[in-house]
Amino acid sequence: MFTEEEVKSGLTMQVFGHTLSIFDSLDSTNACAKTLANKGADEGTVVIADHQTAGRGRLGRTWQAESGSSLLFSVILRPTFTMDKIGLLPFFAAVGIANVVENITGLQCECKWPNDILLQGKKCCGVLLESTSQQHTLDYAIMGIGLNVNQKIFTGDLADKATSLCCEIGREFDRRDVFCQIMSSLESYYTQVCKGDFDTVLMEWKARATIFGKRITLRQAADSIDGIAVALSVDGGLVVETESCQRVFYAGDVTIAQRQ
Ligand code: BTN
């Protein structure tokens, strides 16, 4: 794993990564960042680990990554915008990372609702946003990111669903360099959304999305909904036209139906 000095020499931004905690192994960088946030850690504090023993994914799942191959990190955010905008936060992360992945691989990323990044139809990056609020005001949000950089083999369930930058390009990438580029990209998009400009981020996200206008199935724990994905709601939900009505969803797994 790279050292704090090595990373800091490559960072050019003001906020993201100014405080950096690097671990060989942790249960979850999100859990660690949450502990730090509860103790008052500043916005932009980053926790990064080479390995996680209990990495968290969306919908209560785990996040698996081979030790020493990925970027597994969490950023503490303390945005001052209103709670109704919180659901839009993962979109800036997805766009910020997609830009870097596209620059370094030369491939086009797909953004999959709610906040997955795909390369050649397979997931290379997931974003998990966990927020804590008090009396309708956001206290802080932990933005956890898992980017598959140099992992070469995905087994079991992941075999046909997951990929890495290395799998797609056929060579390893310098994780420190990728991380520094991501920090810079995230900070620049975050600065934009903190000024109230979500339009650019949402426009860039939609330009990489493939579901709109298509027949989809959205799966939730006990439910499966068929319909047409028509839009993003103003708060980041997915608007689906079902046979009977329009509904907005905030969680779930989307697949595009084979027959349109
Ligand atoms: C998803 O399910 O797509 C989101 C996965 C997010 C995984 C990352 S890895 C670093 C950070 N720490 C965690 O425990 N989870 C996130």
Side-chain angles (χ1 to χ4, degrees), residues 28-30 52 55-58 63 73 116 123 126-127 144-146:
S28 151
T29 57
N30 264 37
Q52 293 184 124
R56 300 177 187 167
R58 280 193 311 115
W63 181 262
F73 63 97
D116 293 347
K123 179 163 167 175
V127 179
I145 293 164

Side-chain angles (χ1 to χ4, degrees), residues 43 77-83 86 137-138 190 194-195:
E43 168 149 279
L77 304 175
R78 296 186 180 279
T80 51
F81 43 72
T82 48
M83 286 298 282
I86 299 309
T137 312
L138 181 78
Y190 186 63
C194 283
K195 286 182 190 150

Side-chain angles (χ1 to χ4, degrees), residues 122-166:
K122 293 182 177 181
K123 179 163 167 175
C124 67
C125 181
V127 179
L128 176 68
L129 195 97
E130 298 182 295
S131 57
T132 300
S133 54
Q134 281 173 31
Q135 287 158 0
H136 309 296
T137 312
L138 181 78
D139 200 0
Y140 60 79
I142 306 296
M143 188 176 69
I145 293 164
L147 173 64
N148 301 330
V149 181
N150 292 327
Q151 185 158 337
K152 294 188 182 63
I153 294 172
F154 294 88
T155 52
D157 267 7
L158 297 181
D160 56 355
K161 289 189 197 143
T163 191
S164 67
L165 310 194
C166 177

Side-chain angles (χ1 to χ4, degrees), residues 110-114 205-206 208-216 218 227-232 238-240 254-256 260:
E110 179 187 335
C111 286
K112 183 174 177 221
W113 187 88
W205 187 90
K206 284 178 198 160
R208 293 184 176 97
T210 55
I211 54 172
F212 296 113
K214 299 220 175 103
R215 191 164 292 284
I216 57 144
L218 185 137
I228 294 173
V230 287
L232 270 188
L238 182 65
V239 184
V240 180
V254 175
T255 46
I256 296 180
Q260 289 296 315

Side-chain angles (χ1 to χ4, degrees), residues 81-209:
F81 43 72
T82 48
M83 286 298 282
D84 57 321
K85 296 276 190 294
I86 299 309
L88 295 176
L89 270 179
F91 293 93
F92 100 81
V95 168
I97 293 164
N99 262 318
V100 173
V101 170
E102 287 175 355
N103 281 341
I104 61 180
T105 63
L107 298 175
Q108 170 81 49
C109 288
E110 179 187 335
C111 286
K112 183 174 177 221
W113 187 88
N115 34 51
D116 293 347
I117 301 173
L118 277 58
L119 274 177
Q120 315 288 34
K122 293 182 177 181
K123 179 163 167 175
C124 67
C125 181
V127 179
L128 176 68
L129 195 97
E130 298 182 295
S131 57
T132 300
S133 54
Q134 281 173 31
Q135 287 158 0
H136 309 296
T137 312
L138 181 78
D139 200 0
Y140 60 79
I142 306 296
M143 188 176 69
I145 293 164
L147 173 64
N148 301 330
V149 181
N150 292 327
Q151 185 158 337
K152 294 188 182 63
I153 294 172
F154 294 88
T155 52
D157 267 7
L158 297 181
D160 56 355
K161 289 189 197 143
T163 191
S164 67
L165 310 194
C166 177
C167 285
E168 296 308 322
I169 298 299
R171 70 165 174 89
E172 292 203 356
F173 289 80
D174 177 346
R175 285 186 297 158
R176 169 194 164 272
D177 178 51
V178 179
F179 177 72
C180 292
Q181 290 197 44
I182 287 177
M183 285 292 110
S184 163
S185 177
L186 287 179
E187 179 158 323
S188 114
Y189 281 101
Y190 186 63
T191 307
Q192 217 170 43
V193 296
C194 283
K195 286 182 190 150
D197 176 14
F198 277 96
D199 291 352
T200 312
V201 158
L202 293 177
M203 204 178 69
E204 291 190 24
W205 187 90
K206 284 178 198 160
R208 293 184 176 97

